[in-house]
Amino acid sequence: MIKANNIVKIYNQHKQNELKVLNGIDLDIAEGELCTIIGKSGSGKSTLLKCLSGLEGVTSGQISINDRDIQSFTSKETNEFRRQDIAFVFQEYNLIDDLTLHENIYLENEPTETIENLIDVWDIRKAINLFPMQCSGGQQQKAAILRALAKESKIIFCDEPTGALDGKSSQEVLTVLQAIQKSHRSTIILITHNEQITKISDRVITIHDGNKISDRKNVNVELAELLEW
Ligand SMILES: Nc1ncnc2c1ncn2[C@@H]1O[C@H](COP(=O)(O)OP(=O)(O)O)[C@@H](O)[C@H]1O
Ligand SMILES: [Mg+2]
């Protein structure tokens, strides 16, 4: 469903500060799969996720999602694709500073019972009318995840979605992501540098210095709610 063929990403090409970050990566992620991407800081994980989701262009190579070449999209198709087909949780949250958490969560979508319930379960109700700057990193991260979930997209890209969360909160968030994968047959691509989190995924891809160094099926997928932290 998400296929990448020999993707290369060079930042600042032909400039003095040129940097090759992806070195020819092939991927094939099936519909309904929860795939984790693991690797050291600076190895190119965030860049890979942005390229796969079409948020960044690639320097060369092809990416197709549902057999559609995302690089051939017109700007109208790109906008529709970003609005309807995918959701993206940014590593640095990307919340809008002068909107409250509640307004950020429902930026593009109407409130739903499911999301309102998660606001309570994830314990951010007390911060819901505050601005991002007034909130902890964990509260902001949860709001960023809820904004993505509110879109009910079939494909969810998550860049270190539990990076600012403690063990208990991480487990709560991952439990919800895994439940959505099962109930909606959503495809979830999740970056982490925590080996523990790879245990809940169907596929584990390891990136090192812009290369894919391993890509394995996980035959023994664990439930997020049963993980030991
Ligand atoms: N927009 C950008 N312009 C130039 N260099 C970038 C940009 N984004 C990331 N990089 C560089 O690309 C490399 C990989 O970054 P990144 O994809 O964020 O890695 P990771 O998510 O694995 O930590 C780093 O050296 C980073 O500084
Ligand atoms: Mg990153």
Side-chain angles (χ1 to χ4, degrees), residues 11-12 19 21 40-47 91:
Y11 285 116
N12 307 312
L19 185 67
V21 178
K40 285 190 197 144
S41 181
S43 57
K45 304 182 299 296
S46 294
T47 301
Q91 185 169 14

Side-chain angles (χ1 to χ4, degrees), residues 99-110:
L99 297 181
T100 64
L101 292 195
H102 200 263
E103 289 163 342
N104 267 287
I105 291 169
Y106 297 119
L107 197 58
E108 296 179 71
N109 302 90
E110 292 298 315

Side-chain angles (χ1 to χ4, degrees), residues 2 4 7 27 37 48-54 63 65 70 157:
I2 301 176
I7 56 173
L27 288 177
I37 299 177
L48 176 61
L49 207 66
K50 285 176 188 162
C51 289
L52 289 177
S53 60
I63 296 168
I65 295 189
I70 64 168
F157 295 95

